[in-house]
Amino acid sequence: MKELSLNILDITQNSITAGASEITIALDEDAAGWLTLTIADNGCGMTEETLRRVRDPFYTTRTTRKVGMGISLLQLAAEQTGGSLTIESVHESVDPVGHGTTLSAVFDTTSIDFPPLGDIIETLCVTIQGHPEIDYVFTHTTPSCTARLATAELRQVLGDVSLGEFEVIEWIRGYLTEQYEAKDETHTNL
Amino acid sequence: MKSLAELAAIKERMKDKVAIREGSGAMRVVVGMATCGIAAGARPVLGAFVEEVNKAGLAEKVTVTQTGCIGICQYEPVVEIFEDGKDKVTYVKMTAEKAARVVAEHIKGGKIVEEYTIGNK
């Protein structure tokens, strides 16, 4: 993957496949240059067996072929910078109410091997367009500012108009772009 | 500044359109968005289809959707076009530029862009 935002697009598909109704994507940067990516969902979760094997590139739940590279690629990207990847998951058979998966990847953004974050706004637009029925909470926090999107708030305004409508997606794109432009004016390293 | 009031205005405009769209959707554009597709460049391809279809005013009859791995990862980004009563068309090794041409010639004009289809690779 050329950009971290493409890994995020990819990993979020796992939450969608897991039947999540709410997905939280958080990017947290601290003053020392560590970036923590957290993707949390309330999907069906993984069994202990699946969780044990999920980092193995030759393990996949899919049936069309025998490899599943998504999590392996993200883990590699994190570890190349000196960071790490952790996954916690509760399968629905263990907890019928509180099930879901939380994945965290930590990156050293000062490392020469840190991939650029890339177009995170496009990743969010594509994800929402593909599955507008899901509620997404996105936050990107740096020591000086925060960009934020919570689709449940938009849904209250939109009523039965889908989040996937072109005009709505364009609004979301503009809404996020403005927040990032405000960031640039404060001269952060984003 | 983008405001929620603007979003409410979009809702008002969409109200009539939504009613028309029910039951239509004569054509479906499906973009493969698994790890293989994303790594090969599917995100700008999907973005281009969504934008071009809407710019061409075809949103009423064409839906752009996403799917997982289609099974021919070496040809990603892969795009399949389904139309009622016609054979599926599979476009391979797509780019945003190729997507714009497919919208103009195939989706709008009705003529398959043969050189981008899987039969020509």
Side-chain angles (χ1 to χ4, degrees):
Chain A
M1 299 282 177
K2 288 178 187 149
E3 305 173 356
L4 187 53
S5 67
L6 291 175
N7 292 102
I8 296 171
L9 176 63
D10 183 33
I11 298 298
T12 306
Q13 305 294 324
N14 297 344
S15 298
I16 293 165
T17 309
S21 63
E22 191 177 308
I23 302 172
T24 301
I25 302 168
L27 290 161
D28 290 297
E29 289 177 57
D30 69 15
W34 289 96
L35 167 69
T36 304
L37 161 70
T38 309
I39 300 176
D41 68 58
N42 64 352
C44 62
M46 288 181 271
T47 60
E48 277 181 38
E49 167 69 8
T50 305
L51 191 56
R52 217 171 16 248
R53 300 178 63 188
V54 74
R55 295 151 188 264
D56 176 358
F58 297 104
Y59 176 75
T60 179
T61 55
R62 76 174 54 171
T63 51
T64 48
R65 57 182 164 80
K66 289 193 168 64
V67 291
M69 307 295 289
I71 289 172
S72 320
L73 287 171
L74 181 64
Q75 181 170 10
L76 181 70
E79 288 179 352
Q80 274 177 340
T81 73
S84 61
L85 179 125
T86 52
I87 308 171
E88 287 168 23
S89 192
V90 178
H91 192 251
E92 58 190 354
S93 64
V94 177
D95 185 342
V97 181
H99 54 82
T101 300
T102 299
L103 174 148
S104 294
V106 180
F107 298 84
D108 180 357
T109 62
T110 64
S111 163
I112 193 153
D113 290 314
F114 177 67
L117 177 59
D119 197 343
I120 186 70
I121 297 177
E122 188 62 21
T123 280
L124 292 165
C125 288
V126 162
T127 304
I128 296 167
Q129 190 267 344
H131 293 274
E133 72 284 2
I134 296 171
D135 273 323
Y136 302 89
V137 179
F138 169 74
T139 51
H140 186 168
T141 312
T142 71
S144 56
C145 43
T146 302
R148 182 176 175 278
L149 176 78
T151 56
E153 292 166 11
L154 311 187
R155 214 183 289 282
Q156 282 186 344
V157 177
L158 287 168
D160 52 5
V161 170
S162 168
L163 283 167
E165 290 289 346
F166 182 65
E167 283 186 70
V168 178
I169 295 291
E170 288 301 294
W171 184 91
I172 291 171
R173 193 190 308 280
Y175 180 70
L176 286 166
T177 302
E178 278 178 2
Q179 293 185 50
Y180 276 97
E181 279 167 1
K183 256 184 186 176
D184 289 341
E185 281 160 23
T186 56
H187 302 289
T188 68
N189 56 356
L190 288 171
Chain B
M1 189 67 194
K2 291 278 169 196
S3 66
L4 290 176
E6 225 174 311
L7 208 55
I10 293 173
K11 182 199 165 158
E12 284 307 306
R13 281 203 299 280
M14 299 312 295
K15 262 203 313 215
D16 313 324
K17 285 195 194 168
V18 173
I20 302 168
R21 204 168 304 173
E22 302 287 330
S24 60
M27 202 186 243
R28 217 152 47 85
V29 177
V30 181
V31 182
M33 292 291 283
T35 308
C36 48
I38 293 167
R43 189 180 66 181
V45 171
L46 181 94
F49 270 107
V50 170
E51 191 181 339
E52 295 295 330
V53 162
N54 278 279
K55 264 188 1 199
L58 297 167
E60 306 297 323
K61 82 177 251 276
V62 182
T63 53
V64 181
T65 59
Q66 303 172 23
T67 188
C69 178
I70 294 166
I72 43 170
C73 311
Q74 67 273 34
Y75 292 117
E76 293 283 356
V78 174
V79 176
E80 296 179 319
I81 297 192
F82 298 86
E83 195 174 358
D84 288 347
K86 291 189 183 168
D87 286 342
K88 174 182 82 178
V89 178
T90 304
Y91 288 111
V92 298
K93 298 192 174 177
M94 289 297 285
T95 62
E97 291 74 27
K98 289 180 180 178
R101 202 178 141 196
V102 167
V103 171
E105 295 183 21
H106 179 172
I107 297 176
K108 200 170 185 188
K111 190 172 172 298
I112 295 166
V113 187
E114 294 287 350
E115 58 185 287
Y116 300 160
T117 60
I118 192 161
N120 276 288
K121 294 291 157 182

